[in-house]
Amino acid sequence: MPDRSPATDFSVALLGALVARGVRDVVLSPGSRSQALALAAAEFERRGILRLHVRIDERVAGFLALGLAVESRMPVVVVTTSGTAVANLHPAVLEAHHSGVPLILLTADRPSELRGIGSNQTTDQPGIFGSAVSFVRDVEAPTGSPAVDSARHLAGEMFAAAAGHSSPAGPVQVNLAFREPLSGAISPFPDAAEPTLGAAGRRGRPEAPGAMPNDVAAKAAPDGSAITWLAPHDGATLELAPVDGTVVVAGHAAGDRAEELARALGAPLLAEVSSGARFGPNLVVAYRELLADPAFGGAVRRAVVLGHPTLSREIPALLQRADVEVVIVRAPGSEAYNPGRRAAAIVGSVSYGGVAAERSWAGRWVQASRGILDAGSASGSGSRIPSGVEADPRAATPPLAREQLDVFRQPVTRRMLVDAVWLATWPHDRLVLGASRLIREADRVVGGRRITVHANRGLAGIDGTIATASGIALAAARAAGGVTRVLVGDLTLLHDVGALLLRESEPRPALQVIVGNDGGGTIFDGLEVAATARTEAVDRVLYTPQSVGVRALAEAYGWTYRRASNRGELDAALAATSEPTIVEVPLPR
């Protein structure tokens, strides 16, 4: 290896400047052209300065970084080599863009003299992600010390763009050309990059909670500006007065401000399961049914929307009604959620004043919702253990023990599955919901619970769900401990099998992958197409049946495997564990 390489000097300076601004996680996939960045990151990790995550598949790497950024609330760096490696980041980049999640993409490339002449692994990389990135720089191959100085300036620009200081938070791309020698000795080491992870971090194990800054808003950048994201870059504040007929709609990632607003306005809270606002006295779980009821939905005159609603048809239908005033509190990301383009106001935030509206308006919704859920349980579609039944049958009276055993022996239904996973998750845990039939089932039935729920709802694709959950689990373990559970359908699992490959030299996430296995995409059975197309055609091109052995898959990747066919087995399987575990739950089509 050469003693010195401009590529290495530039890479060390760039990563050092990013570390100085608060970056703590780097995710990379191996490659020759990016070796200077990769080796520099490895040296930073060896010195306890950052955490390095290596994945062989760039799509997995991108979604792992997405999960780390969502949970840690800090920009995460992704390093790739050139060519198709860069293109494989595109699904994660799109999700990050539409969800306002900060990723810093360092894509290695050939220098200018090797572009446009048919060189191996060379394509048009700058701007490959189109409008999904707000900041793109194509950086010529470094040649000496002036380039090192420019690396530090570049780090400030890219961090500010990703974190939302100079534009809406989201992914940014810096395309870095490197000439041979592609790497060299790492010397000198930047003074600004001082060790911060401690011995546990250097050994590759999660450090004790609190050892790293996780409250982004509380940390300051070197220039004194606050490091913060997940907030609109611009937008006015609108003051709202309580008015009867108001509902608060909390879509994905709305946060607890939606619950606070609903209480202040005396309004029913229509909160999706991944909203972060699925709790409180004004929560209306059965909002779909009530919006379809003229006595309730027909009386709505104003809707205040926070977050990104994606799980029902009733919400967009409400927001397109001519007799409903719509106020949109813009979510982070590229677009304001505005069905029909008829919002009266799109603002960055809202405030409220005056006396709250009568509790009776919200109270009627809450009571009616409870009645609908109780009726569903009474009809046999429920799953909860009967009230008064002991957790241990031996401690219960004989009639109650028999009733409990009957429940425990019942085959698992979708409602039973989502209810059990919901109840097994506590505030120090994390729950990740895949884009399948199960997230919609959860949204219909699970009650109020102040827990942290994540989902890739920016574009609501099934891409990268296991990888995203792995990133969330790794970041959550540093902050709160607990277990991360990801609830997915079988096709979502199979779409991201590569994410099951874990590095023996890196921390293993405390992650449970709970797979509702109904043999294919049964979500299509509930769509209109099932009533109009030939059954065999629907099966082949939509339902796409599969018979993969999930146990064999788990064993191949070194994961613990559990199978849960009834409620008793399911509750036992959901017990907290620190080992990566796949829980397979057979479901009827």
Side-chain angles (χ1 to χ4, degrees):
M1 178 181 291
D3 289 339
R4 298 297 297 272
S5 162
T8 291
D9 293 346
F10 182 90
S11 297
V12 170
L14 186 69
L15 290 179
L18 288 172
V19 166
R21 284 164 172 77
V23 168
R24 292 296 180 269
D25 289 281
V26 173
V27 183
L28 68 84
S29 295
S32 176
R33 189 61 52 170
S34 58
Q35 63 183 265
L37 288 164
L39 293 171
E43 179 64 15
F44 274 67
E45 180 192 50
R46 189 184 72 83
R47 298 185 183 218
I49 297 170
L50 54 72
R51 291 173 287 259
L52 179 60
H53 314 268
V54 181
R55 297 296 185 270
I56 63 172
D57 182 337
E58 287 83 7
R59 189 174 70 173
V60 170
F63 279 104
L64 178 73
L66 181 81
L68 286 163
V70 165
E71 177 62 34
S72 70
R73 300 176 62 84
M74 286 295 293
V76 173
V77 171
V78 184
V79 174
T80 75
T81 192
S82 62
T84 57
V86 182
N88 281 322
L89 294 178
H90 211 151
V93 170
L94 290 174
E95 177 62 32
H97 169 63
H98 287 278
S99 298
V101 178
L103 300 180
I104 297 173
L105 314 172
L106 303 182
T107 57
D109 203 351
R110 263 61 176 171
S112 56
E113 64 269 18
L114 295 181
R115 299 183 193 179
I117 61 171
S119 296
N120 191 33
Q121 292 185 327
T122 306
T123 188
D124 189 11
Q125 293 180 190
I128 193 172
F129 305 115
S131 61
V133 292
S134 61
F135 176 96
V136 180
R137 292 289 185 274
D138 187 20
V139 181
E140 183 53 275
T143 57
S145 55
V148 170
D149 294 335
S150 70
R152 298 188 179 102
H153 177 74
L154 178 64
E157 284 189 301
M158 72 172 82
F159 186 94
H165 300 166
S166 58
S167 59
V172 301
Q173 182 196 10
V174 176
N175 194 64
L176 300 170
F178 291 124
R179 290 189 181 92
E180 296 181 354
L182 295 177
S183 63
I186 299 179
S187 177
F189 208 74
D191 295 335
E194 296 179 355
T196 54
L197 293 186
R202 288 195 293 271
R203 289 193 298 268
R205 297 195 299 269
E207 67 280 353
M212 288 293 297
N214 287 290
D215 182 358
V216 180
K219 183 173 176 61
D223 60 3
S225 60
I227 297 176
T228 184
W229 63 284
L230 290 181
H233 178 63
D234 53 19
T237 296
L238 178 68
E239 182 169 349
L240 296 174
V243 175
D244 272 343
T246 297
V247 296
V248 172
V249 177
H252 172 68
D256 54 13
R257 58 182 179 158
E259 192 277 333
E260 179 184 341
L261 180 64
R263 280 189 289 112
L265 298 179
L269 175 61
L270 319 184
E272 292 187 348
V273 69
S274 64
S275 64
R278 187 87 168 199
F279 63 93
N282 290 26
L283 176 65
V284 177
V285 174
Y287 66 86
R288 290 174 174 84
E289 293 85 347
L290 293 181
L291 286 176
D293 184 341
F296 291 90
V300 175
R301 293 294 174 264
R302 181 174 68 180
V304 185
V305 184
L306 299 90
H308 184 197
T310 64
L311 292 176
S312 75
R313 296 182 177 183
E314 289 80 5
I315 293 297
L318 170 72
L319 302 183
Q320 293 180 74
R321 277 174 32 191
D323 61 338
V324 175
E325 179 190 34
V326 177
V327 175
I328 305 294
V329 182
R330 184 167 186 161
S334 61
E335 300 166 344
Y337 180 76
N338 186 15
R341 294 184 171 86
R342 57 168 309 277
I346 299 176
V347 297
S349 60
V350 293
S351 61
Y352 43 84
V355 179
E358 288 294 326
R359 168 70 183 165
S360 59
W361 165 244
R364 291 197 301 272
W365 284 72
V366 172
Q367 287 299 114
S369 174
R370 289 173 181 167
I372 292 170
L373 295 178
D374 289 344
S377 296
S379 69
S381 60
S383 60
R384 288 182 172 81
I385 296 174
S387 176
V389 176
E390 299 286 346
D392 184 351
R394 295 169 298 182
T397 61
L400 289 177
R402 285 194 296 271
E403 189 178 6
Q404 181 186 27
L405 287 173
D406 286 343
V407 172
F408 281 171
R409 291 168 176 168
Q410 291 176 4
V412 179
T413 64
R414 289 177 183 81
R415 179 168 182 175
M416 185 187 296
L417 174 57
V418 299
D419 187 57
V421 173
W422 188 255
L423 293 177
T425 304
W426 294 92
H428 62 285
D429 296 329
R430 298 294 184 265
L431 177 58
V432 183
L433 299 173
S436 68
R437 183 173 174 180
L438 291 171
I439 190 174
R440 288 167 173 79
E441 186 68 23
D443 193 57
R444 285 182 176 277
V445 301
V446 299
R449 195 169 178 83
R450 195 165 188 174
I451 57 179
T452 301
V453 182
H454 294 294
N456 285 342
R457 302 306 296 176
L459 286 185
I462 68 172
D463 315 52
T465 306
I466 310 301
T468 300
S470 297
I472 289 168
L474 290 169
R478 303 193 295 253
V483 173
T484 295
R485 296 179 178 87
V486 52
L487 180 61
V488 296
D490 48 289
L491 297 186
T492 302
L493 168 70
L494 297 178
H495 200 279
D496 200 24
V497 163
L500 298 177
L501 180 59
L502 302 176
R503 307 276 299 184
E504 292 184 1
S505 60
E506 296 181 16
R508 293 170 67 83
L511 180 63
Q512 289 182 345
V513 178
I514 302 129
V515 186
N517 191 351
D518 51 23
T522 61
I523 190 171
F524 294 105
D525 292 342
L527 301 181
E528 292 86 347
V529 64
T532 59
R534 291 184 300 111
T535 300
E536 57 269 30
V538 171
D539 280 359
R540 185 179 183 203
V541 303
L542 295 176
Y543 174 64
T544 52
Q546 59 80 27
S547 57
V548 173
V550 177
R551 178 192 291 272
L553 191 65
E555 291 174 351
Y557 282 95
W559 287 54
T560 299
Y561 172 83
R562 301 288 297 272
R563 180 181 174 90
S565 299
N566 59 47
R567 179 60 187 263
E569 293 173 348
L570 179 58
D571 286 347
L574 293 176
T577 175
S578 60
E579 284 299 310
T581 302
I582 296 178
V583 180
E584 182 181 12
V585 184
L587 295 173
R589 178 171 181 183

